[in-house]
Amino acid sequence: MEHVTVSEEPSAALMYHVERPVFNEGYIDSELLHRKKRTSKSLQRRIAEHLRCSSEKAKSVVFGFLPILTWLPSYPLKQYLFGDIVSGISTGVMQLPQGLAYAMLAAVPPVFGLYSSFYPVLLYTFFGTSKHISIGTFAVISLMIGGVAVREAPDSMFAVNGTNASQVVDFEARDARRVEVVVALTTLVGIIQLVLGLLRFGFLAIYLTEPLVRGFTTAAAVHVSVSQIKYLLGVHTARFNGPLSVVYSLDAVFRNIASTNVVTLIIGLVCTVFLYIIKDLNERFKKKLPIPIPGEIIVVIVSTGISYGMVMSENYGVEVVGKIPTGLLPPKIPDFSVFPNLFPDAFAISVVGFSIAISLAKTFALKHGYSVDGNQELIALGLCNFMSSFFHTFVVTASMSRSLVQESTGGHTEIAGLLASILVLLVVVAIGFVFQPLPTTVLAAIIMVNLLGMFKQLKDIPALWRTSKIELAIWLVSFFASVLLGLDYGLVVAMGFAILTVIYRTQCPKNALLGQIPDTGLYFDVDEYEEAEECSGIKIFQSNTSIYFANSDLYVSALKAKTGIDPAKLLAGRKSQIKYAKRDNGERKAVNHCSSVKKNAVVLLDVELGVTHEVVAGPKKQMDHVYTNGQMNENHTESDSEDDFFLQRLTPIHTIILDFTPVNFIDSVGAKCIKSVIKEFATVDVKVVLAGCSSK
């Protein structure tokens, strides 16, 4: 029976006193608790129940696969429609120049960026669960795609002999092949994401920790920026891929910097400054502006008009977008023969794309009070990429900048994304040819200004330095590995290092001896808090890690080091004491034996001579010796065993408490290790008890 009394003294802190019986595990398991009886189902029955169909189950499956059915019938037109229209137009206006620009990163003609801004966005409206993310082209993914395209279809494959035996690249054949590779890659990415979603692998993104993703995307921003310098300067260099590609690209640009096109550079710098100012104004006055100023579409329209009017391509050698076919291309089956070469890249791109999309989706869902389904998001992205790939698109994911615009301009549902895709469709079908004179340096300026948000992630470094050195190490390794080794190898290295940090945390946990805060039931680390006092004869040991095969030996070593008790050393010391004690006792026996022989000899001699005087001369005193038949017996008896004499306690500690509160799990190796610890400490009369154990 538990009795609780509360002291309500106004001048003192509230106190409570608890009286309750003490239970042991045996009593709890046998008397206090009784487990429920459960009948195990056969495999056949479980399969039958899983496959059994009902109207409710069918409805749940359909609604889960098509989330649009859950919200569209109850869509509030008056409340949401205007905001979705404004948001859709704003996002679509932003999606047009970004689609053209990111196609350059993907190493395909710009029109394919417009295709990728239409089909996947349309499909996500029906299958996606997030109401605010903007699906479409994204710089990081586009750059990863471009790396694969350049590797599989390099310029050297399409070199033809030109004048004076010089090498000329057949750009039309090269671009056609790169489109085939990119489309096949997109199909494979869609298949991987779809399969992972159907297998309920939506949790996969949790293994890409936030510092890893932010370091990776910052490194991708470096790659993207370096790749756009040549377009900004109007310099013609080869595109590099793989380890040290950033170094090779910078080296190529600086080697050819003398051939910079001044007009191209001026246009690029003016557009960059203008876009930066507009971006800053939108950020400062976002609460006052009904919609953000569409700086990107402004520079696209103005620069296209100027380029067309001044015929910059012919008169000044400014590189322009070139031919943009009007209308949509007919569907085409991808080239499946290249799948084996693309699988590792496809898996990396699918995981990174999903990670970016789900992190943005969860951020907006938390802000606006709804939930997103990670597995359904994987299915939605997989369907968007797979089905769209038959219409000549490349891999898409959520865009951070467009998602912020879609949310900040009043978007409430996926209708905003649908309207944005329709706007892109109108441009592709009707006026795509208008953007043919657009200078590519303008697209480079758009890309570089949009990367400013990613470069702001460098501020993570001082913040992580103050909060977590391990997460800082993950960020730095992810960044430098991705910059130097390339995005594909860098991601693998970063994930491997992140896993190693988990192992390191279990191998090097924080170990502490706990002491009681006087007059409280609180226990804290005695090394950190002055008030914490250890209980006499008791050590309370805490290690904030689970105990399993990889760290069980380290746990025992830390226990012995912290408590200062090593049973093996104590037993060795005891044996050494007994050894020396036996030797000293043997020497004493020998000395006593010699003196006894001498005394006996004197007494016998005196008896033979008939002398009966005392052996020891001097004043009379009580003697400790008794002679019987000439033998001398001592009153004190020697101990039968020297061990009894030396078995005093070797340590003042009589009890060690292992605090298992932070221990999440313990495997069979760890359990055996704890058992051996209990037995080992028992040999030196130290009792080991466990506290705070989980019932599972």
Side-chain angles (χ1 to χ4, degrees), residues 102 105-106 136-147 185 189 193 216 220 224 348-354 356 385 394-398 454 487:
Y102 294 154
L105 294 177
T137 56
F138 186 57
V140 174
I141 299 298
S142 300
L143 186 67
M144 296 178 73
I145 296 168
L185 177 66
V189 168
Q193 290 179 332
F216 176 79
V224 173
I349 292 172
S350 62
V351 172
V352 172
F354 169 65
I356 293 170
N385 286 314
F394 54 85
V395 182
V396 297
T397 187
M454 292 189 185
L487 297 179

Side-chain angles (χ1 to χ4, degrees), residues 159-163 165-168:
V160 294
N161 290 329
T163 58
S166 61
Q167 293 284 320
V168 178

Side-chain angles (χ1 to χ4, degrees), residues 448-512:
M448 296 183 76
V449 172
N450 277 311
L451 293 175
L452 291 176
M454 292 189 185
F455 282 115
K456 289 180 180 179
Q457 294 176 154
L458 290 169
K459 296 179 181 178
D460 293 347
I461 295 176
L464 291 174
W465 175 262
R466 293 190 296 268
T467 56
S468 174
K469 303 294 191 300
I470 293 179
E471 290 188 336
L472 174 61
I474 294 174
W475 197 103
L476 292 175
V477 169
S478 178
F479 175 78
F480 285 110
S482 300
V483 167
L484 298 176
L485 302 178
L487 297 179
D488 45 3
Y489 294 120
L491 180 62
V492 173
V493 171
M495 292 182 68
F497 182 79
I499 294 173
L500 287 178
T501 60
V502 176
I503 299 174
Y504 169 79
R505 291 188 184 193
T506 61
Q507 296 288 308
C508 302
K510 180 183 178 182
N511 303 308

Side-chain angles (χ1 to χ4, degrees), residues 115 119 327-333 390-392:
Y115 299 154
Y119 290 106
L328 301 173
L329 296 176
K332 183 181 178 182
I333 297 177
F390 292 90
F391 297 91
H392 313 279

